[in-house]
């Protein structure tokens, strides 16, 4: 091991993030975790040179997200010519506001301040929900709100820590630009440990922005208009037809895997659905984990509509053999108009909708007729659309429809291959896509079982509460008058 490596440490291990809350004498820690990435701050290797026993403690007040950073170490390397320890403070100053570098007593005093109890997230509370007996709220506000800018500037280092390739937002843009952005904050509503503490504790947040959506009314003939320029009244971004795009989406590690992401996504989708100026909901460069979350949410949004409209693959698209062609008869296989109506109603972006539609159609085919259930693929390749079982024919046409989508997406690459190589590549890719859908079905089933168990637990708890209340009522009625004041002070079940 080289001497230089003795003075290097893993930046992801060195950074320790904690959420703190006011307590009796000084802030107490609610949760702690390490970043997933630090390369935007400390370089591609995610190594910090020049220290032994390095700890970078980054604390956030759980309610208003005020940050504080404290660096400690056992030994520091003495600079030799051009070789010097990493300037940690300088590196972090590009990602944290100046207040993060105040003294620890200043930070603790700010967290413990008495007006913390009055903190309420900015904007409007747009959704509330309960998970495992704990209560949560989602608040939405414009980025033009100075309070939102303050919170976002304090916490944006999390984008670099947890969203690969993510970039912090610029909050000093002109107001009309900031108005395009809406920020959603997820908070847990907690019982504060002291009368001066806040009831709110951060869970995560997301940012969305509007993109102008050009859609000319085909029924109108374009005509020039002699409107004054500039317009006497400025046009606000919220008044224009738009696509809504999710830019950043983050649930902090201590709250991941418990359903907050689904609740946040569904809240954003509902806002999009209810806004007549928004045409589609899109996502900016989603990673694999977000894709799974989005697929799960969209599938559960669209599945009831697909079932209500009896969406399925027509196993016999060619009623007359003379009409057979070499092309996939998409318009005869699927109710195109109904699907388009569902897509536009629920404002799902076309590629994502096709993906969810494809998954749903596969799920409508019985398992025994699919590859996972042991379908005879060799016989299917021979029989094709002439298979005896209509579900075998549906499965054949499902694979053909999926190949058609994949070919359109990757046509420029595929046309460079020989025909046999092209078929082989498409077959392999369809199989991979199908295996991915089967994994998602397993994930959906687990989620349904989990939600069912949670509902049963909640119902059982409610029943116990009702029995306890009835018991208390009977006891209170039987007690003497002088005991009534005592009974009234008992904790309720």
């Amino acid at each position: 091991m080289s001497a230089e490596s003795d003075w290097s440490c893993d930046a992801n291990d060195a950074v320790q993030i904690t959420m703190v809350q006011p307590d009796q004498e000084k802030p107490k820690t609610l949760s702690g975790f390490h970043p997933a990435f630090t390369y935007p701050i400390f370089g591609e290797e995610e190594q910090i040179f020049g220290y032994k026993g390095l700890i970078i403690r980054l604390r956030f007040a759980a309610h208003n997200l005020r940050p504080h950073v404290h660096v400690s170490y056992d030994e520091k390397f003495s600079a030799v010519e051009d070789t010097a320890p990493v300037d940690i403070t300088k590196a972090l100053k590009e990602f944290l506001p100046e207040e993060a570098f105040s003294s620890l007593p200043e930070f603790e005093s700010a967290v413990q301040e008495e007006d913390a109890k009055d903190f309420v997230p900015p904007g409007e509370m747009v959704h509330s929900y309960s998970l495992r007996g704990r209560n949560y709220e989602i608040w939405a506000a414009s980025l033009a709100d100075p309070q939102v800018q303050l919170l976002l500037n304090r916490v944006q280092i999390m984008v670099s820590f947890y969203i690969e390739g993510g970039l912090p937002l610029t909050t000093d843009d002109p107001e009309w630009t900031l108005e395009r952005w809406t920020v959603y904050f997820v908070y847990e509503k907690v019982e504060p440990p002291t009368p001066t503490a806040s009831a709110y504790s951060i869970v995560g947040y997301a940012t969305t922005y509007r993109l102008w959506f050009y859609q000319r009314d085909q029924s109108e003939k374009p005509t020039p208009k002699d409107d004054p320029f500039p317009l006497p009244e400025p046009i606000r971004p919220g008044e224009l037809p738009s696509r809504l795009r999710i830019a950043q989406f983050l649930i902090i590690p201590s709250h991941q895997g418990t359903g907050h992401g689904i609740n946040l996504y569904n809240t954003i989708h509902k806002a999009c659905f209810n806004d007549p100026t928004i045409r589609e909901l899109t996502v900016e460069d989603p990673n694999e984990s977000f894709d799974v979350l989005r697929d799960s949410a969209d599938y559960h949004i669209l599945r009831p509509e697909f079932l209500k409209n009896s969406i399925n693959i027509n196993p016999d698209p060619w009623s007359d053999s003379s009409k057979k062609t070499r092309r996939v008869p998409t318009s005869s296989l699927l109710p195109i108009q109904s699907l388009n109506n569902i897509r536009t109603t629920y404002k799902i972006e076309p590629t994502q909708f096709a993906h969810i539609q494809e998954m749903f159609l596969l799920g409508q085919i019985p398992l025994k007729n699919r590859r996972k259930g042991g379908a005879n693929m060799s016989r299917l390749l021979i029989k094709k659309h002439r298979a005896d079982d209509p579900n075998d024919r549906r499965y054949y046409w499902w694979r053909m429809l999926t190949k058609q989508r994949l070919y359109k997406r990757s046509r420029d690459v595929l046309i460079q291959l020989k025909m046999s190589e092209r078929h082989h590549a498409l077959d392999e890719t369809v199989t991979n896509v199908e295996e991915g859908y089967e994994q998602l079905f397993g994930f959906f089933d687990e989620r349904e079982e989990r939600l069912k168990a949670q509902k049963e637990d909640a119902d059982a708890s409610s029943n116990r509460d009702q029995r306890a209340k009835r018991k208390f009522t009977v006891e209170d009625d039987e007690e003497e008058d002088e005991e009534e004041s005592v009974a009234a002070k008992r904790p309720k079940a």
Side-chain angles (χ1 to χ4, degrees):
M1 183 179 290
S2 68
E4 184 172 327
S5 63
D6 290 342
W7 289 97
S8 292
C9 65
D10 188 309
N12 294 344
D13 289 338
V15 177
Q16 299 179 3
I17 307 166
T18 56
M19 294 291 168
V20 302
Q21 182 187 45
D23 205 353
Q24 298 294 342
E25 297 180 1
K26 65 177 185 177
K28 73 170 184 177
T29 298
L30 294 178
S31 60
F33 35 89
H34 293 276
F37 314 107
T38 50
Y39 65 84
I41 303 171
F42 296 111
E44 289 296 326
E45 299 299 320
E46 298 187 322
Q47 294 288 308
I48 299 175
F49 172 76
Y51 304 89
K52 289 184 179 179
L54 176 66
I55 299 176
I56 304 172
R57 291 185 177 87
L58 180 56
R59 297 179 177 91
F60 290 92
H63 62 295
N64 65 8
L65 303 177
R66 180 181 173 123
H68 178 262
V69 63
H70 180 263
V71 180
S72 63
Y73 47 83
D74 296 333
E75 293 183 64
K76 184 175 181 179
F77 182 80
S78 298
V80 177
E81 297 180 351
D82 293 337
T83 305
V86 171
D87 188 336
I88 295 171
T89 300
K90 181 180 179 182
L92 290 171
K93 278 193 172 182
E94 295 184 29
F95 297 85
L96 288 167
E98 189 62 36
E99 63 185 342
F101 303 92
S102 63
S103 67
L104 182 58
E106 284 181 283
F107 171 72
E108 291 184 343
S109 176
V111 174
Q112 294 286 109
E113 62 187 1
E114 291 191 3
D115 62 355
K117 70 180 185 298
D118 301 322
F119 173 84
V120 175
E124 175 189 4
M125 199 265 281
V126 292
H127 181 56
S128 62
Y129 60 99
S130 296
L131 290 173
R132 301 179 181 180
R134 297 165 73 171
N135 300 317
Y136 302 89
E137 295 178 355
I138 299 178
W139 292 69
S142 168
L143 188 53
D145 182 338
Q147 183 67 16
V148 176
Q149 295 172 32
L150 175 66
L151 292 179
L152 209 57
N153 287 333
R154 286 174 167 178
V155 79
Q156 282 206 96
I157 193 171
M158 292 290 195
V159 172
S160 301
F161 282 155
Y162 294 104
I163 302 177
E164 191 163 10
L167 296 173
L169 299 186
T170 301
T171 57
D172 57 359
D173 279 345
E175 185 175 342
W176 72 269
T177 300
L178 297 178
E179 285 180 1
R180 296 169 54 226
W181 291 84
T182 300
V183 184
Y184 293 83
F185 293 102
V186 187
Y187 275 91
E188 181 178 3
K189 190 79 174 289
V190 298
E191 190 67 33
T194 69
T196 59
S198 172
Y200 290 94
S201 175
I202 192 69
V203 171
Y205 77 97
T207 60
T208 67
Y209 64 98
R210 302 172 66 106
L211 293 165
W212 181 54
F213 183 84
Y214 175 71
Q215 189 174 27
R216 184 169 68 85
D217 186 348
Q218 301 295 328
S219 64
E220 291 185 5
K221 183 179 179 181
T223 55
K225 294 181 179 179
D226 190 21
D227 292 334
F229 184 83
L231 295 174
E233 293 292 330
I235 298 176
R236 313 313 305 185
E239 300 170 355
L240 299 172
S242 306
R243 286 185 175 93
L244 189 69
R245 179 165 293 175
I246 297 173
Q248 299 163 334
F249 193 102
L250 175 68
I251 303 298
I252 63 175
S254 55
H255 288 280
Q256 289 176 5
T258 55
H260 298 294
I262 289 286
N263 274 280
L264 180 53
Y265 179 87
N266 285 341
T267 299
I268 295 171
H269 179 268
K270 183 179 178 181
C272 175
F273 180 82
N274 291 333
D275 189 334
T277 67
I278 294 176
R279 302 292 191 266
E280 289 176 1
L281 176 62
T282 65
V283 180
E284 185 176 292
D285 298 329
N287 59 22
E288 188 174 335
S289 60
F290 185 84
D291 276 336
V292 173
L293 183 151
R294 182 189 186 192
D295 289 346
S296 176
D298 287 345
Y299 183 81
H300 285 87
I301 289 169
L302 294 175
R303 187 173 186 272
E305 287 301 308
F306 289 153
L307 292 172
K308 186 171 74 175
N309 287 271
S310 302
I311 302 298
N312 208 340
I313 296 173
N314 176 12
D316 302 303
W318 289 319
S319 57
D320 184 349
S321 59
S322 64
K323 294 183 180 179
K324 294 180 183 178
T325 66
R326 296 187 63 182
R327 293 181 177 275
V328 177
T330 308
S331 59
S332 299
L333 288 167
L334 298 173
I336 301 298
Q337 188 58 51
S338 294
L339 288 168
N340 189 56
N341 290 340
I342 295 171
R343 186 192 74 77
T344 54
T345 298
Y346 285 88
K347 304 181 181 181
I348 306 293
E349 183 267 333
T351 302
Q352 174 69 2
F353 183 84
H355 177 52
I356 301 301
Q357 166 194 312
E358 203 169 83
M359 194 186 332
F360 172 81
L361 292 172
L362 176 65
Q364 294 303 101
I365 300 168
L367 183 61
K368 68 182 181 67
N369 300 97
R370 309 193 313 244
R371 178 186 285 272
K372 183 182 178 181
N376 190 323
M377 301 304 294
S378 298
R379 185 174 63 188
L380 188 69
L381 287 172
I382 295 170
K383 287 277 193 176
K384 299 183 178 179
H385 58 83
R386 298 182 297 274
D388 297 330
D389 188 333
N391 284 313
D392 283 339
R393 298 199 293 276
R394 284 193 176 93
Y395 183 54
Y396 166 77
W397 285 120
W398 181 87
R399 290 180 64 86
M400 293 301 292
L401 287 165
T402 305
K403 286 181 182 179
Q404 177 179 252
R405 177 182 67 82
L406 294 169
Y407 180 80
K408 288 178 179 177
R409 189 185 70 181
S410 306
R411 183 178 181 277
D412 292 344
V413 175
L414 290 170
I415 58 175
Q416 299 176 38
L417 302 177
K418 294 179 182 178
M419 187 62 71
S420 59
E421 294 175 340
R422 192 182 306 171
H423 286 305
H424 179 70
L426 282 171
D427 275 331
E428 272 197 343
T429 308
V430 167
T431 298
N432 291 337
V433 168
E434 184 178 351
E435 288 175 352
Y437 291 156
E438 298 288 9
Q439 288 179 354
L440 283 171
F441 288 145
F443 171 76
F444 296 161
D445 290 342
E446 289 176 7
R447 178 174 178 264
E448 290 299 325
E449 287 297 320
R450 190 165 61 248
L451 292 174
K452 182 180 178 183
Q454 289 175 0
K455 185 177 185 301
E456 289 173 352
D457 288 346
D459 290 344
S461 176
S462 176
N463 289 336
R464 286 195 298 271
D465 290 350
Q466 291 300 323
R467 287 197 296 271
K469 288 175 181 177
R470 286 197 295 271
K471 180 181 177 183
F472 284 151
T473 301
V474 171
E475 289 177 350
D476 288 349
D477 288 343
E478 292 174 350
E479 288 175 340
E480 299 295 328
D481 290 347
E482 60 265 28
E483 297 295 328
E484 287 182 358
S485 61
V486 177
K489 295 176 184 177
R490 290 175 183 163
K492 296 187 184 295

